[in-house]
Amino acid sequence: MKGIILAGGSGTRLHPATLVVNKQLLPVYDKPMVYYPLSTLMLAGIREVLIISTPEFLPQYRALFGDGSTLGLSIEYAEQARPEGLPQAFTIGRDFIAGGKVAMVLGDNIFFGNGLVDLLRRAVMRPYGATVFAYRVEDPERYGVIAFGDRRRVIDIVEKPVVAPSNYAVTGFYVFDHRVCDFAAALTPSSRGETEIVDLARRYLDLGELHVEQMGRGYAWLDTGTHDSLLEASEFVRTIQHRQGIQIACLEEIAYLQGFITREQAAVRGRLFAKTAYGRAILSAIEN
């Protein structure tokens, strides 16, 4: 299983903060936004990652992560010259995916919750089909929404419905099997001039191969695409970290606990950030 982080776009909803920096490189409390989606892929056990962004910002991602070896990962990079819809990631990443299964996470999405690892692992272990994650929201008309039938069977996915068939929105984490590149390439652009991720999911639904993981009570899904939501996400992370004494999206800690890097490699990174709670979390992980 490989993973893609889609970190493109111009970030116009965050202007002027994003005039000279990609939004996924803005801080969410104490670390770059992109750390959070990368941590989600790592928690799912994924070690081969493709970061897709605009040409002017890819050098910043390379400077941040390099080839990924300090985290026990293999990280590659690809350009998205012009955003043409989320499924474009699978045409850009066709060679990287190389006919295998792939998980994609949006670069401005944060996931947190007890049991999250089990949900992620269940999705990536499915041998075929597609999996989307659904989260209950108060304003489903802003999102792609899951329509359920009898016994909570998925019968449709509707993009930004006027009257929502449920309160369960489709989040920014998706898992697809080996057919995704061909299915994505065959999509027709919507009235917005872009291909739609719900149309890709519906292709699997029509085949009876769309799975939904519902994120119930105790989970958090945060989209950091606006000034207010960015601040709210930072406050959420700060509160959890201060009250529970843990680090959310501490990449080196995750890499060590997942067995991606050795104790010695983790210690080097921990000492590098030793003046911060982030670095102390790495050192604490190897001590305990």
Side-chain angles (χ1 to χ4, degrees), residues 26 29 128 151 153 161 167 172 176 180 208 225:
L26 293 175
Y29 185 47
Y128 67 91
R151 299 180 181 178
R153 182 175 59 88
N167 284 86
F176 295 100
V180 66

Side-chain angles (χ1 to χ4, degrees), residues 154-221:
V154 180
I155 58 175
D156 200 4
I157 298 182
V158 186
E159 180 67 20
K160 295 182 175 64
V162 176
V163 179
S166 80
N167 284 86
Y168 280 91
V170 179
T171 73
F173 186 85
Y174 319 86
V175 179
F176 295 100
D177 69 13
H178 65 282
R179 295 168 290 180
V180 66
C181 293
D182 291 335
F183 287 171
L187 292 176
T188 301
S190 69
S191 58
R192 299 193 305 154
E194 300 180 355
T195 54
E196 304 289 349
I197 196 72
V198 295
D199 292 336
L200 182 57
R202 194 178 291 114
R203 180 72 175 87
Y204 283 91
L205 178 61
D206 291 342
L207 295 171
E209 298 176 6
L210 179 66
H211 308 276
V212 176
E213 295 288 351
Q214 292 188 32
M215 304 177 71
R217 292 174 182 263
Y219 290 94
W221 168 50

